[in-house]
Structure formats: C-alpha cells, structure tokens
Amino acid sequence: MKTIKILSVILIITFVIAFQIKLTAQEKLTALQIVENAINKVQGNTSQGTLNMTIIRPTWSREISMKIWSKGMEYYMIYISSPARDRGQVFLKREEEMWNWIPTISRMVKIPPSMMMQSWMGSDFTNNDLIKLSSFVKDYNHSLIGSEEIDSMACYKIKFEPKETAAVVWGKIVMWISKTEFYQLKIEYFDEYENLVNRELCSNIQQMGDRKLPGKLVMIPVLKKGNKTILEYEKMEFNKPLNENFFSIQNMKR
C-alpha cells in the first residue's frame, strides 16, 4: 500500500513537471511561431468538411450550407449546396487568384483585388476573409503585446502590422490565441486609421477529425447594430490525400 502511494506521488510530480516544461517552452515561442501553430491547427496539410452559415440582419436571416476543401494555405475550394437558388456555385482560390463559377448563367468570374473587401455571399465575411490564413503569415509583422483570458483560457495577445510591401486591406489586426492548444479565440480587424471594423469570436470547442477546434465562428461588424454572420462546422477531416489538380477551374464546373 505504501509503495502504491509513493508511485502515485511520483506520477503526479512527473505530470506537473512535464506540464511546466511544456508551458515554459511555449512561453519562449516567438509571435510568428504562435501564429503558425494556430494556423496549422486549423488547416492541417489538407482539410475537407461541411459547414453552415447564418446571415443575421435586424429584420431577416438567411442560411447557406457548403462543402469546403483546402490544401496548405494556397488552395481552397468552396461548393454551395443550399439554398436551391445558390446551389452549385463554386469559389476557388489558387495561390493569389480567386475565381467564382456561377452555374445559373454558366459564367466563370475572376475576382479582382478591387473586390476583395466586398461581402461574400451577402454575409459579414469578405472575399479577403477566404484567403486570410496565408496572408496572416506572410503579409504581416507580428508582435506579442500581452496576455488575456478568453472563455477562461489564457491567451497570447498578438498584434499584426502590415509589411510595407504587402497589399492588404487591414491597417492592423489583433488576435487572441490560447496558450495550451493554440485555438484562435478572438480576432479584431482595424482600418488604416486604426478604427475597429470587425470582431470575430470563436467558441464551442469540439472534436473535429483528429483534433479539437472551435466549431462556431461569429463575425460582427461593430458599426452595424444587429448584423452578424455565424459559421458552424458540421464535420471536418484533416490530412487526407488531396491532389493540387483538384483545385482547378475545370473541376469547379463539375
């Protein structure tokens, strides 16, 4: 009995030491490494799944369902599965280019840089939001500006400032990333005059494929009272083989 107690104490001490070592190692991470860990958590090498989007306005609401695929941070495809009037629309990102296939008029539209801040599918997300993960890493300088709690989780507070040569739409971004699992829990987007424009809140952490992630994203335009857009994930799978040829203009039409 005494031996069992000693072993239990040793196991507890070992666990505490390992946890402290993990926290210490995380505290030594640079702001860029923290951001990269957070994005890798969301992306994996590849991802595919289904989600629902609810657009909420003061006098009406609208729901859209979709299927998504991604490979790294350069290839994305989104297929709209409902409602019926939008079914079959496809959005494609290949590196720096974005395309939209509209089956009702059999037309392929290339989305120019001038349209990146336009609303996506009438929501509070923009075309730019569809490609922001790669931009988060390469187009901004990152600095750790503090620590705060979000939903009782200790978070890194990281500021993103655009590089001089970067063609970005935001003058500043502030992101809160949890210290233990690198969840992106809150993001604030500022214009070039540092006025807060959008606030994104992430919650409802759940098992998705081989990892846990926030299953609910809410985008809130701070100056438009009563407006918000909710994204809720139904199912996600990661790191399944997915060829780059899948993300082609020809495949969009299929």
Side-chain angles (χ1 to χ4, degrees), residues 98-116:
M98 279 191 64
W99 300 83
N100 178 203
W101 167 247
I102 308 172
T104 53
I105 57 175
S106 299
R107 185 181 176 191
M108 185 72 69
V109 178
K110 186 175 183 180
I111 300 174
S114 60
M115 292 179 61
M116 294 310 292

Side-chain angles (χ1 to χ4, degrees), residues 47-61:
S47 68
Q48 51 190 295
T50 57
L51 61 153
N52 297 313
M53 180 171 72
T54 304
I55 303 167
I56 298 174
R57 297 293 180 260
T59 58
W60 58 270
S61 65

Side-chain angles (χ1 to χ4, degrees), residues 14-199:
T14 302
F15 175 79
V16 170
I17 291 173
F19 184 72
Q20 288 176 336
I21 290 172
K22 181 181 178 181
L23 288 180
T24 301
Q26 289 178 344
E27 291 295 341
K28 293 180 180 179
L29 293 173
T30 66
L32 175 58
Q33 288 172 327
I34 294 167
V35 171
E36 288 176 333
N37 284 338
I39 290 174
N40 289 336
K41 183 93 175 180
V42 174
Q43 286 294 108
N45 295 322
T46 67
S47 68
Q48 51 190 295
T50 57
L51 61 153
N52 297 313
M53 180 171 72
T54 304
I55 303 167
I56 298 174
R57 297 293 180 260
T59 58
W60 58 270
S61 65
R62 178 177 177 230
E63 293 187 1
I64 298 173
S65 297
M66 63 196 82
K67 299 178 181 180
I68 61 172
W69 298 263
S70 74
K71 184 177 179 66
M73 290 187 290
E74 302 299 334
Y75 300 92
Y76 297 86
M77 189 178 286
I78 301 174
Y79 171 83
I80 306 300
S81 53
S82 72
R85 68 176 184 180
D86 296 313
R87 181 179 175 86
Q89 274 206 68
V90 183
F91 295 85
L92 171 69
K93 174 191 180 287
R94 285 183 60 91
E95 298 176 347
E96 301 300 322
E97 295 185 332
M98 279 191 64
W99 300 83
N100 178 203
W101 167 247
I102 308 172
T104 53
I105 57 175
S106 299
R107 185 181 176 191
M108 185 72 69
V109 178
K110 186 175 183 180
I111 300 174
S114 60
M115 292 179 61
M116 294 310 292
M117 282 301 288
Q118 289 195 4
S119 168
W120 182 71
M121 296 294 294
S123 73
D124 296 300
F125 290 91
T126 65
N127 290 317
N128 181 73
D129 290 323
L130 303 183
I131 64 171
K132 67 186 178 184
L133 290 183
S134 58
S135 179
F136 276 164
V137 173
K138 67 183 182 181
D139 291 331
Y140 293 88
N141 294 314
H142 312 83
S143 56
L144 184 60
I145 59 174
S147 298
E148 290 183 11
E149 279 198 3
I150 302 289
D151 294 338
S152 300
M153 286 183 275
C155 294
Y156 300 106
K157 186 177 179 181
I158 296 175
K159 180 169 68 173
F160 295 62
E161 294 180 299
K163 296 178 181 178
E164 289 185 5
T165 57
V168 296
V169 297
W170 299 115
K172 182 180 75 173
I173 298 171
V174 179
M175 183 184 294
W176 286 256
I177 298 172
S178 68
K179 292 186 176 182
T180 54
E181 297 294 339
F182 300 105
Y183 300 133
Q184 298 175 49
L185 295 178
K186 181 179 174 182
I187 310 172
E188 291 186 338
Y189 303 88
F190 298 78
D191 64 18
E192 59 184 315
Y193 305 107
E194 298 204 2
N195 298 311
L196 179 61
V197 178
N198 288 339
R199 178 178 289 118

Side-chain angles (χ1 to χ4, degrees), residues 42 125 150-153 155 176 178 182-187 199-208 211-220 228-234:
V42 174
F125 290 91
I150 302 289
D151 294 338
S152 300
M153 286 183 275
C155 294
W176 286 256
S178 68
F182 300 105
Y183 300 133
Q184 298 175 49
L185 295 178
K186 181 179 174 182
I187 310 172
R199 178 178 289 118
E200 184 176 354
L201 304 175
C202 309
S203 61
N204 192 22
I205 293 170
Q206 57 187 271
Q207 191 71 38
M208 286 191 273
R211 65 199 67 193
K212 287 186 176 181
L213 290 169
K216 182 178 180 180
L217 284 65
V218 183
M219 184 68 81
I220 304 168
K228 64 180 177 181
T229 299
I230 302 170
L231 277 177
E232 294 181 285
Y233 289 86
E234 282 191 345

